[in-house]
Amino acid sequence: MEIFLGGLSPSVFAMAFGVTLMAGIVKGAIGFALPLIMIAVLPSFMPAQTALAALILPVVVANAHQSVRFGFHDAWVSAKAYWRIIALTLVGIAISAPFAVVLPQYIMFLLLGSAVMIFSLLQLTGWKPDIPEHRRNPIQYALGLIGGLYGGISGVWGPPVIVYLLATKTPKREMVCIMSVIFTVGGVMLLAMHLQTGLLNAQTLPLSLAMLVPSTLGLFLGYMVQDRLDAEKFRRYALIMLSISALNLLRRGFLG
């Protein structure tokens, strides 16, 4: 059992288990926010780099399952339609991932906290910019790169994609499928890059593997929640929780 603790005490591991379970539930219920919640909350009681390592395998597995939940055909159609975002996300992750192991922890807290806070506030206020059809292709390139650059150091590259999909009024089912495909491919790149950087190592890789248990359990519980509760209300509560977590990250970044 000790190998899966990743150098954490049993009590800290138990807290990480609970946070990941909740993140999985939210992911299953609303289609996103697994890495957002994990990276917003876990650094409150463990090093930010360890938190980033812990979320990598849960992100890959949860999104791989969700992307094919509606069938391989829909996943393939989504991949072809949004290849620009996917390609530039991969480029951005490849560029920024090496910096995750050298950035001072307070800078990571500030970067993560600001990104999560901006995303949460945009979603809570219902901001949905209108993107004309003729500008969508270049915007996909830009948002993919921005998300990827953030994703390499934080494990979170979804906010720009989600804002874009909301702005283009993408139907809910299609949106979940598209997000999951983009997150899966990005997660595989993040996994490959951090095996090279050493962020995923003999200590953190077993921890990430252990987090598959609560994330997968939470994912299936979230599917049940999605079928029984008002998803919009649940989404709003999740974003409020993310905003509080982001404030804590910013506090740690500014005050240490």
Side-chain angles (χ1 to χ4, degrees):
M1 177 62 186
E2 289 185 6
I3 190 175
F4 293 106
L5 297 181
L8 306 177
S9 68
S11 60
V12 171
F13 180 86
M15 289 191 290
F17 191 100
V19 169
T20 305
L21 176 65
M22 178 54 65
I25 293 173
V26 175
K27 168 70 173 172
I30 64 176
F32 66 93
L34 173 65
L36 273 171
I37 293 175
M38 291 182 70
I39 203 62
V41 181
L42 293 183
S44 299
F45 48 82
M46 69 173 65
Q49 286 83 0
T50 303
L52 173 57
L55 67 80
I56 293 176
L57 288 179
V59 165
V60 172
V61 172
N63 284 293
H65 181 271
Q66 200 166 54
S67 65
V68 298
R69 191 181 180 211
F70 303 120
F72 286 97
H73 177 266
D74 287 358
W76 176 243
V77 169
S78 296
K80 291 196 296 182
Y82 290 86
W83 68 266
R84 297 171 184 83
I85 290 180
I86 293 173
L88 270 294
T89 296
L90 297 179
V91 171
I93 290 174
I95 292 172
S96 64
F99 293 96
V101 294
V102 297
L103 278 178
Q105 187 158 282
Y106 79 92
I107 293 180
M108 284 196 69
F109 284 139
L110 292 175
L111 288 173
L112 297 173
S114 59
V116 174
M117 178 59 73
I118 291 171
F119 172 73
S120 299
L121 291 178
L122 287 176
Q123 293 297 292
L124 284 167
T125 58
W127 182 69
K128 300 177 183 178
D130 185 32
I131 302 177
E133 185 76 35
H134 67 280
R135 293 183 179 176
R136 292 183 181 182
N137 287 350
I139 287 177
Q140 283 189 28
Y141 286 121
L143 294 182
L145 182 60
I146 292 170
L149 289 173
Y150 240 102
I153 60 172
S154 69
V156 176
W157 55 93
V161 176
I162 295 169
V163 171
Y164 174 84
L165 294 174
L166 290 171
T168 55
K169 300 177 177 62
T170 306
K172 178 182 176 181
R173 177 189 171 103
E174 182 183 353
M175 183 172 173
V176 171
C177 187
I178 292 165
M179 287 191 302
S180 298
V181 170
I182 294 171
F183 297 165
T184 300
V185 177
V188 172
M189 173 62 85
L190 191 70
L191 172 64
M193 291 302 302
H194 284 312
L195 284 172
Q196 294 183 35
T197 65
L199 189 80
L200 276 173
N201 51 48
Q203 187 175 61
T204 57
L205 187 56
L207 175 63
S208 189
L209 184 63
M211 289 301 104
L212 284 175
V213 176
S215 64
T216 303
L217 175 60
L219 184 70
F220 284 95
L221 290 174
Y223 290 156
M224 296 168 60
V225 170
Q226 187 180 54
D227 295 335
R228 289 172 171 77
L229 296 181
D230 180 359
E232 182 62 29
K233 183 179 292 185
F234 191 86
R235 169 181 168 276
R236 191 169 187 84
Y237 289 150
L239 289 168
I240 291 172
M241 184 179 72
L242 282 173
S243 299
I244 295 171
S245 299
L247 286 174
N248 183 55
L249 287 171
L250 291 172
R251 177 192 64 81
R252 294 193 67 184
F254 284 117
L255 302 179

